[in-house]
Amino acid sequence: MVKPFDTQPGIQSVVSGYTGGHTVNPTYTEVASHTTGHTEAVKITFDPSIITYDQLVSIYWRQTDPTDASGQFQDRGDSYRPVIYVNGPEQRRIATASKEKLAASGQFDAPIVTQIEDAQPFYPAEEEHQDFYRRNPFRYQIEEMGGREAFIQEHWQ
């Protein structure tokens, strides 16, 4: 989820990490064990005079399968569930309206199951998990071909 945001004008930083669980400072191994309650997430810092929160939500939808509550593409389990974490009522309003619009569009045969939840403490992932698409371009491309790329082409382009 880093690359689609990282390449947009107005994005100041995209940090990979974990949020929404009960373990303080979890590691990737702990989160991957599905025992921490955390979801893998990205924390995005942006300049709202260049890119709006509404635009960020739109980019998010186009990277996920919003009908799959059990993970995303080859990544399975609660730590990969689709969630939009919001900071405050305005972000919640925008995310909810966007989700409702997507659900009403008829674009998907199944219900939109992406959750919208209040932001929780965010724990940055280990350094080797930051900027994965840049550090591991071949592996990143292989993982993209694991379902995400075809899904995006079928549903969004």
Side-chain angles (χ1 to χ4, degrees):
M1 291 298 289
V2 173
K3 184 179 179 182
F5 294 101
D6 197 35
T7 57
Q8 299 296 317
I11 299 298
Q12 297 165 337
S13 70
V14 182
V15 178
S16 297
Y18 321 112
T19 190
H22 51 78
T23 301
V24 176
N25 292 318
T27 65
Y28 175 80
T29 302
E30 291 171 330
V31 173
S33 75
H34 305 287
T35 60
T36 66
H38 285 288
T39 303
E40 289 193 26
V42 291
K43 182 177 184 177
I44 301 168
T45 305
F46 64 101
D47 180 341
S49 70
I50 298 172
I51 188 167
T52 66
Y53 183 74
D54 189 52
Q55 289 171 305
L56 294 176
V57 172
S58 180
I59 293 167
Y60 170 84
W61 291 125
R62 296 178 188 287
Q63 307 309 311
T64 67
D65 178 351
T67 67
D68 186 353
S70 299
Q72 290 294 291
F73 311 105
Q74 76 275 7
D75 296 321
R76 310 311 303 157
D78 282 348
S79 63
Y80 299 106
R81 67 191 179 93
V83 182
I84 298 174
Y85 290 99
V86 297
N87 289 299
E90 181 62 11
Q91 286 187 359
R92 179 174 291 282
R93 184 193 64 73
I94 291 168
T96 300
S98 181
K99 178 180 176 179
E100 290 169 355
K101 181 178 177 184
L102 182 60
S105 74
Q107 185 168 348
F108 296 95
D109 294 332
I112 305 302
V113 297
T114 301
Q115 298 297 304
I116 299 171
E117 299 179 6
D118 291 333
Q120 301 295 316
F122 179 86
Y123 304 98
E126 299 83 347
E127 188 59 32
E128 65 267 21
H129 296 290
Q130 302 300 330
D131 296 319
F132 182 82
Y133 80 97
R134 288 186 187 158
R135 292 176 178 211
N136 302 282
F138 179 73
R139 189 165 162 212
Y140 177 80
Q141 185 60 34
I142 295 296
E143 290 186 9
E144 284 294 291
M145 292 187 302
R148 181 183 309 272
E149 188 174 283
F151 183 88
I152 290 170
Q153 286 182 348
E154 179 182 344
H155 293 281
W156 294 107
Q157 296 180 0

